[in-house]
Amino acid sequence: MSKTEPRITLTEVARHAGVSRATVSLVLRDSPLVAAETRARVQASAEAVGYLYNRGAATMRGLRTRTVGLLVTEIDNPFFGELVAGAEAALEAAGYIAFLATTADSVERQQRALQRLREHRVDGLILCAAGGTTPQDIATLAGQGMPCVQAMRQVRGSRGDFTGADNLLGLEHLTEHLIRLGHRRFAFAGTAVMNSSLRHRLDGVETALRRHGLPAPLVLRTAATRQGGAEAAETLWRMRDRPDALVCCNDVVAFGAIPALQRLGAGIGQDIAVTGVGDVPEAANGNPPLTTVATDPRRIGQEAVRLLLRRIAQPAAAMEQVVLPARLVIRASCGAAMPLPAGAA
Amino acid sequence: MSKTEPRITLTEVARHAGVSRATVSLVLRDSPLVAAETRARVQASAEAVGYLYNRGAATMRGLRTRTVGLLVTEIDNPFFGELVAGAEAALEAAGYIAFLATTADSVERQQRALQRLREHRVDGLILCAAGGTTPQDIATLAGQGMPCVQAMRQVRGSRGDFTGADNLLGLEHLTEHLIRLGHRRFAFAGTAVMNSSLRHRLDGVETALRRHGLPAPLVLRTAATRQGGAEAAETLWRMRDRPDALVCCNDVVAFGAIPALQRLGAGIGQDIAVTGVGDVPEAANGNPPLTTVATDPRRIGQEAVRLLLRRIAQPAAAMEQVVLPARLVIRASCGAAMPLPAGAA
DNA sequence: ACGCTATTTTAGATCGATCTAAAATGCAAA
DNA sequence: TTTGCATTTTAGATCGATCTAAAATAGCGT
């Protein structure tokens, strides 16, 4: 059946309206060249014959595709869920649509996804780079003239647009708060695969501790997952000179650590403070509610889109790096809901 | 600079390899027509000149785009996060890539997204239809020859491929369990916007109650969100002849209802049982852990892809509806962790 | 060397839009 | 009526791949 039906192209619209293909093309793109009367007639004809614009054909003459690639490590993590939601909404508002690809933190999968996105001629990329991505990888994209914004994670030593949370300052504030509550021996969990985001979080903890003359944190090289959080908790609880504060690299790790510690008999907030990073909606809702550093992933997604559209419009513009403030959210899991003095970001 | 650089097309590869464009095209698509020696030479040339396949150009000759549209209501809900993750992985394995679009349960946004996806000539659609989608909308897609699989929600009265969870049986089992624990007065929360999935969940509750000669549940027409859950909790708690079981339409609603009830002084599991649907990872982790009906969203995503690829390959195949089993997961929020007899799905 | 078939390769048209450069049209002034 | 200028419209080439139908080449038996 699809053999016989003649597909409806701009030629059919032109025939129906009694004008040339060129005129129809101009009308479709709202060119001011065409007379108002003609425009109306053509639009009516397009409607009448059931015309559907073919973006692929237009792209062949070198036009933008109005698509971008959205590469994240995992979409089931609510943190990236929010980031993607923010980006998707901003793209939709700008008339763009996103190809979604996930890498599971594997550079091979990331490479395959990039190849496919380039074949589809995306206008640009929002990239939460997989661990192990090299500055050379980022430079290669730039060399191909592919606009690219790194979100959340910045490949160490790479150049280019970036947006993410102020992990360094956020974790400093968190650590200061824990110190003020009387905690002295710190552990940091979830560093099995390192990336710039994690690096800064750990740096923030170390900086604050150093400032107070306290020993560096114990670094637990477990996975940045629920499961990894549980493992970190078990390791930690078995120690002789056990830490009294467990700073998890993100909320999901804390969600894994807390029930594990509870099973082992720990009183969260009493025997040990546990904190996360991200402030995903579930954080307010745990047992106990989680003290965390809010990084506003939805906002990061929006900002990444803004940077990307700017880069697409002006490929040679100066590079821009937007670090969004991180906000300390104090709940019960750190032992005391003592608010910071006003003015602390 | 992009003006001067001659873009590398199949013509350049042909020139470099000393063959015709047609031959290069055959090599690119692994045609058996071309001699092994020639094939190798062309592949080497493609590599040498840095050739990148242009899918858009190929599409113009009527080839598949190898893209599909993935339309969900919200991507920040972990339930859909998992569904999308499952679908994305399955698509990637099949050499497809997904356009992601979200509708926020608005038919207008859904309509805009569909239009854009059609302009991009997606090979098919996985659709979690927005509330208010009509059978006519689905029929229109079919009339356009657009392969479409409905996931999770099936537009009432529509025809076509579908996959989702067995909400009816799942909620019947859940209700039976609550009845066995001694609960008698039921409420059901989250029906502000109705869809087939919600309909079946409510039906399941009603069927089980009827079977036991118990009164129909009180239906709370609150939003299917965290916020809506909290509102339902407050309404319910103020009642004189208060229900003793709150069945929430999904986990997120339960996550909103539980802390609200606790603030009002209710003992979850003692004064009132609260349950969810979905079994997102956070469910095991709440305060208290949530009794829920596991619907395996990741699996639903995979299954939707299988159905869609089948439909794309065989547009005229018989329609298929795959209802995946839902599993009762008993935790503390229902008051007692009494396991069902073996054999209950 | 010849015809014959089987295997490889290719020229040129084609998909559906856009772009360029030129042609048609309208209108006012000369 | 003609000229000049601005406004509208258009023919035809073009983007980069694929397809068709035909041509070139190879292989084989006689």
Side-chain angles (χ1 to χ4, degrees):
Chain A
M1 50 160 45
S2 59
K3 266 282 150 53
T4 50
E5 73 190 33
R7 276 177 302 189
I8 293 154
T9 73
L10 151 163
T11 306
E12 277 66 52
V13 178
R15 198 190 332 277
H16 188 276
V19 295
S20 70
R21 276 160 34 239
T23 302
V24 177
S25 178
L26 291 172
V27 170
L28 291 177
R29 283 168 302 140
D30 287 319
S31 163
L33 287 180
V34 50
E37 191 270 336
T38 312
R39 171 189 313 283
R41 189 153 42 91
V42 169
Q43 278 165 345
S45 291
E47 182 77 19
V49 301
Y51 172 72
L52 180 70
Y53 188 70
N54 185 330
R55 285 215 134 79
T59 299
M60 278 202 55
R61 286 306 309 253
L63 266 62
R64 311 248 68 124
T65 56
R66 300 213 143 237
T67 63
V68 306
L70 197 45
L71 261 108
V72 297
T73 54
E74 33 176 8
I75 184 66
D76 46 335
N77 180 332
F79 183 90
F80 285 110
E82 297 253 338
L83 190 149
V84 167
E88 201 275 335
L91 286 169
E92 135 92 29
Y96 270 74
I97 189 161
F99 282 113
L100 178 71
T102 63
T103 61
D105 245 325
S106 141
V107 280
E108 290 75 27
R109 280 196 60 174
Q110 179 169 282
Q111 215 49 50
R112 278 212 305 282
L114 284 175
Q115 170 77 9
R116 198 164 298 162
L117 291 169
R118 293 209 303 132
E119 288 183 358
H120 282 290
R121 297 297 194 265
V122 293
D123 292 345
L125 293 171
I126 292 176
L127 178 65
C128 301
T133 306
T134 64
Q136 183 53 52
D137 293 333
I138 304 296
T140 299
L141 286 171
Q144 291 159 352
M146 175 66 82
C148 176
V149 173
Q150 298 183 58
M152 276 311 292
R153 302 162 167 201
Q154 183 167 35
V155 174
R156 217 177 170 70
S158 70
R159 296 181 48 76
D161 299 324
F162 166 78
T163 184
D166 193 342
N167 288 300
L168 190 66
L169 211 53
L171 272 283
E172 275 188 50
H173 282 147
L174 172 70
T175 306
E176 292 279 355
H177 177 71
L178 291 171
I179 292 171
R180 209 169 310 148
L181 291 175
H183 298 283
R184 291 296 174 264
R185 291 189 307 285
F186 282 68
F188 187 90
T191 59
V193 181
M194 256 301 173
N195 59 52
S196 76
S197 184
L198 282 182
R199 184 77 251 162
H200 287 140
R201 288 171 194 186
L202 182 50
D203 281 354
V205 175
E206 287 172 345
T207 302
L209 290 175
R210 209 175 311 118
R211 186 152 53 223
H212 287 264
L214 293 170
L218 170 71
V219 177
L220 298 163
R221 306 190 166 284
T222 46
T225 60
R226 215 168 275 267
Q227 175 65 25
E231 286 165 20
E234 278 161 30
T235 303
L236 178 147
W237 196 250
R238 271 195 254 289
M239 292 179 61
R240 290 202 306 127
D241 203 18
R242 177 196 297 159
D244 53 15
L246 173 59
V247 177
C248 297
C249 72
N250 68 36
D251 287 351
V252 169
V253 170
F255 294 148
I258 287 176
L261 283 167
Q262 286 169 329
R263 268 193 300 279
L264 293 163
I268 306 297
Q270 287 84 55
D271 304 319
I272 186 165
V274 180
T275 65
V277 178
D279 195 31
V280 301
E282 289 71 23
N285 188 228
N287 171 25
L290 186 68
T291 291
T292 186
V293 177
T295 50
D296 204 348
R298 183 174 297 263
R299 174 86 195 288
I300 293 175
Q302 288 169 359
E303 193 62 24
V305 168
R306 189 185 67 76
L307 290 179
L308 183 58
L309 296 182
R310 191 189 72 115
R311 175 65 53 199
I312 290 170
Q314 310 165 36
M319 118 188 163
E320 190 171 351
Q321 310 230 340
V322 179
V323 176
L324 298 166
R327 194 167 37 81
L328 180 56
V329 178
I330 299 170
R331 298 201 184 91
S333 75
C334 63
M338 186 213 290
L340 278 185
Chain B
M1 48 156 56
S2 60
K3 268 280 152 52
T4 50
E5 72 188 33
R7 277 177 301 189
I8 293 154
T9 73
L10 149 164
T11 306
E12 277 66 53
V13 177
R15 196 190 333 276
H16 187 276
V19 296
S20 71
R21 277 159 35 239
T23 302
V24 176
S25 178
L26 292 171
V27 170
L28 291 178
R29 283 168 301 139
D30 289 319
S31 162
L33 287 180
V34 50
E37 190 270 337
T38 311
R39 171 189 313 281
R41 189 151 44 90
V42 169
Q43 278 164 344
S45 292
E47 183 78 19
V49 301
Y51 172 72
L52 180 70
Y53 188 71
N54 186 329
R55 284 212 134 79
T59 300
M60 279 202 53
R61 285 306 308 253
L63 264 65
R64 313 249 67 122
T65 57
R66 301 213 142 238
T67 63
V68 307
L70 198 46
L71 261 108
V72 298
T73 54
E74 34 176 8
I75 184 67
D76 47 336
N77 180 331
F79 183 90
F80 286 110
E82 297 254 336
L83 189 149
V84 167
E88 202 275 334
L91 285 170
E92 133 92 30
Y96 270 74
I97 188 159
F99 282 111
L100 177 72
T102 63
T103 61
D105 244 325
S106 142
V107 279
E108 290 76 26
R109 281 194 60 174
Q110 179 170 283
Q111 215 49 50
R112 279 213 304 283
L114 284 174
Q115 170 77 9
R116 198 162 299 161
L117 291 169
R118 292 209 304 130
E119 289 183 357
H120 282 290
R121 298 296 195 266
V122 293
D123 293 345
L125 292 172
I126 292 175
L127 177 65
C128 302
T133 307
T134 65
Q136 182 53 52
D137 293 332
I138 304 296
T140 300
L141 287 172
Q144 290 158 350
M146 175 66 82
C148 175
V149 173
Q150 297 184 59
M152 276 311 293
R153 302 160 168 202
Q154 183 167 34
V155 174
R156 216 176 171 70
S158 70
R159 296 182 47 77
D161 299 325
F162 166 79
T163 183
D166 192 343
N167 287 300
L168 190 67
L169 212 52
L171 273 281
E172 275 188 50
H173 282 146
L174 172 70
T175 306
E176 292 279 356
H177 177 72
L178 291 169
I179 293 170
R180 209 169 312 150
L181 291 174
H183 298 282
R184 290 296 173 265
R185 292 190 306 285
F186 282 69
F188 186 90
T191 58
V193 180
M194 257 300 175
N195 59 52
S196 76
S197 182
L198 282 182
R199 184 77 251 160
H200 287 140
R201 288 172 194 187
L202 182 51
D203 281 354
V205 175
E206 287 171 344
T207 303
L209 290 174
R210 206 175 313 118
R211 185 151 53 223
H212 288 263
L214 294 170
L218 170 71
V219 177
L220 299 163
R221 305 191 168 283
T222 47
T225 60
R226 215 168 276 268
Q227 174 65 26
E231 285 165 22
E234 278 162 31
T235 303
L236 178 147
W237 196 249
R238 272 193 254 289
M239 292 179 62
R240 290 201 307 126
D241 203 19
R242 177 194 298 159
D244 54 12
L246 174 59
V247 177
C248 297
C249 73
N250 68 36
D251 288 350
V252 168
V253 170
F255 294 149
I258 287 176
L261 284 167
Q262 285 170 330
R263 268 193 299 280
L264 293 163
I268 306 298
Q270 286 85 55
D271 303 319
I272 186 165
V274 179
T275 64
V277 180
D279 195 31
V280 300
E282 289 71 23
N285 188 230
N287 171 26
L290 186 68
T291 290
T292 187
V293 178
T295 51
D296 203 348
R298 184 174 297 263
R299 174 84 196 289
I300 293 174
Q302 288 168 0
E303 192 62 23
V305 169
R306 187 184 69 74
L307 289 179
L308 182 58
L309 296 181
R310 191 189 72 117
R311 176 65 53 199
I312 290 170
Q314 309 165 36
M319 119 188 163
E320 190 171 351
Q321 310 228 342
V322 178
V323 176
L324 297 166
R327 195 167 36 82
L328 179 56
V329 178
I330 300 169
R331 299 203 183 90
S333 74
C334 63
M338 187 215 288
L340 278 185

